[in-house]
Structure formats: structure tokens, C-alpha cells
């Protein structure tokens, strides 16, 4: 078995693009929808030659863009519904060390990392429910219906202390990002409770430190390529069942404390 359809947001680069390529390796997946804020400029994404790939314009910070994208997705998946939503799109506003964080910088991160995810997910919920209803068993899996949020180790409250490397925010440089990803985890867990009767999985994953534009911009020397992270993530996605619902995991399906 495999999911019939998958939507990945922020699919034009980094982990999102790597997830598109990795999912396409599974010939049993019928449709992969790649959302990008500016598809015309997404050269790497457009270079992928596979009839199962559909590229759509999707800016999760814009309600109008979300509404248009959802209508397009409805026509793509038809009566099969949307099987998997991967909420990958997000931002980190780079802060200069000891610079004062502004309301605008905080808002930008919450708009993409939290608010946009909520608005998009609720708009797509009927399609996820439709996909889930096609199954006649009580199983939870990505083959049925799932919401997967790409979070971060930095979201963990328990790990935010002076004894660990990633404690604190490095003089506010990561404060907005950490706070927004913690909020994203709360959104995920709330949805897991709300959607239990619909048998729709809701989970969060940290992809690990990857060599992406974001990590380069903040001066982090990441150990993983996006491709290595995507390969591990999808292996973990395929193992998900009801016991993982409402959980927070690293790319290898190891529990991260909230």
C-alpha cells in the first residue's frame, strides 16, 4: 500500500524539494502535489520529469492563495481525497546577535510557521476526511490520511535549558523561530485529538540539521543533506500507526520530548 496523493508545501527548495524527489521513488503513489510560493522561479522543481508531479502556486501566508490552491487540489485528487498533507513551508527570520527582535519579525515567523498551517489544514480537512472515509478498517497510517508537520528540535520545552547545546535563543536570534515551532506542535497535538474519530494521523517531525538556505543564512554547520533527511523521514512516515498519533519525533522516529 501507499498513499494515493500527497501535498508538500514549501516544495521548491531544501527539505520540501528533497521530499518530493524521495516520494517520487515510490511508484505506487499516484499524485504528488508540490506547493511553491513562486512556481515560475522554482527551476529545480520544474526540472523534475514525472507525470505524477503537479506543481501549484501556494503561499500559506495568503488566504487568497490558499483558497485558490485548495480549489485546484480538489480537481487534482477528485473523489479520492487528499491522503497526506506535509506542512513543510516555514521561515526563520535571521537576527543579528544581540539585535532587538521586532514585532514584525515575530509576526512574519508566526504567519508562516503557525497561522498559515492552521488555515491551510482546516481548508483541506474535508479532502483528508474524504480520503480516510474510503478505508473500512480502524487503522491509522499515511496510506489512509495524515497531517505531518515539519517542526524542529528547537520546539522542545524540555530540551530548552542551560545543560544542552540548543538551550536558549542565542541572544534572541532564534526566539521567534523556537516559539513558533513550539506553537506548531501544540496545533498538531490539538488536531490529533480533534481528528481521532476521523482516523486522521497528526504528527510532528524534526528533520535534523540540514544544509539548506536557512541554516546557511544563520551560520549553522549542518551535518545532513536534505536528501539524507528526506530518505530517513519517509522511512519513518511509512511506519506510522495509531501509537504515533499526537507524537513528536526525529527523522528516525525517535521520540522528542515536548
Amino acid at each position: 500500500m501507499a498513499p494515493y496523493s500527497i501535498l508538500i508545501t514549501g516544495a521548491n527548495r531544501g527539505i520540501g524539494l528533497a521530499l518530493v524527489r524521495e516520494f517520487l521513488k515510490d511508484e505506487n503513489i499516484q499524485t504528488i502535489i508540490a506547493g511553491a510560493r513562486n512556481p515560475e522561479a522554482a527551476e529545480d522543481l520544474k526540472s523534475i520529469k514525472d507525470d505524477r508531479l503537479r506543481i501549484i502556486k501556494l503561499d500559506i501566508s495568503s488566504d487568497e492563495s490558499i483558497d485558490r490552491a485548495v480549489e485546484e487540489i480538489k480537481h487534482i485528487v477528485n473523489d479520492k481525497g487528499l491522503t497526506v498533507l506535509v506542512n513543510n513551508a516555514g521561515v526563520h527570520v535571521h537576527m543579528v546577535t544581540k539585535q532587538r527582535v521586532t514585532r514584525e519579525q515575530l509576526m512574519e515567523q508566526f504567519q508562516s510557521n503557525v497561522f498559515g498551517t492552521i488555515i491551510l489544514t482546516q481548508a483541506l480537512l474535508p479532502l483528508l476526511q474524504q480520503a480516510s472515509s474510503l478505508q473500512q478498517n480502524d487503522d491509522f497510517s499515511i496510506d489512509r490520511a495524515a497531517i505531518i508537520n515539519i517542526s524542529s528540535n528547537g520546539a522542545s520545552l524540555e530540551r530548552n535549558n542551560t545543560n544542552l547545546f540548543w538551550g536558549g535563543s542565542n541572544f534572541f536570534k532564534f526566539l521567534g523561530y523556537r516559539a513558533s515551532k513550539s506553537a506548531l506542535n501544540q496545533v498538531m497535538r490539538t488536531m490529533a485529538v480533534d481528528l481521532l474519530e476521523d482516523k486522521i494521523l497528526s504528527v510532528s517531525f524534526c528533520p535534523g540539521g540540514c544544509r539548506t538556505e536557512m541554516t546557511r543564512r544563520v551560520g549553522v554547520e549542518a551535518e545532513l543533506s536534505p536528501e539524507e533527511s528526506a530518505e530517513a523521514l519517509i522511512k519513518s512516515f511509512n511506519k506510522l500507526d495509531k501509537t504515533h498519533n499526537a507524537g513528536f519525533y526525529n527523522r528516525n522516529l525517535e521520540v522528542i520530548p515536548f
Side-chain angles (χ1 to χ4, degrees), residues 179-213:
S180 65
K181 289 298 187 179
S182 294
L184 178 64
N185 282 357
Q186 179 70 279
V187 170
M188 175 278 299
R189 200 151 203 184
T190 302
M191 288 181 176
V193 174
D194 289 343
L195 301 177
L196 192 62
E197 290 187 4
D198 290 307
K199 301 178 180 63
I200 298 174
L201 270 168
S202 183
V203 294
S204 285
F205 275 88
C206 171
C210 296
R211 296 187 292 273
T212 63
E213 182 178 322

Side-chain angles (χ1 to χ4, degrees), residues 94-100 169-174 218:
H94 178 54
M95 298 289 298
V96 178
T97 303
K98 297 186 179 181
Q99 176 184 333
R100 181 176 178 177
S169 69
N170 195 4
F171 295 101
F172 299 105
K173 186 160 61 173
F174 298 104
V218 298

Side-chain angles (χ1 to χ4, degrees), residues 2 6 71 100 115 122 140 156 204 230 238 247 258:
I6 300 169
E71 289 304 312
R100 181 176 178 177
F115 306 152
Q122 71 177 1
F140 282 64
S156 173
S204 285
N238 288 326
F258 282 94

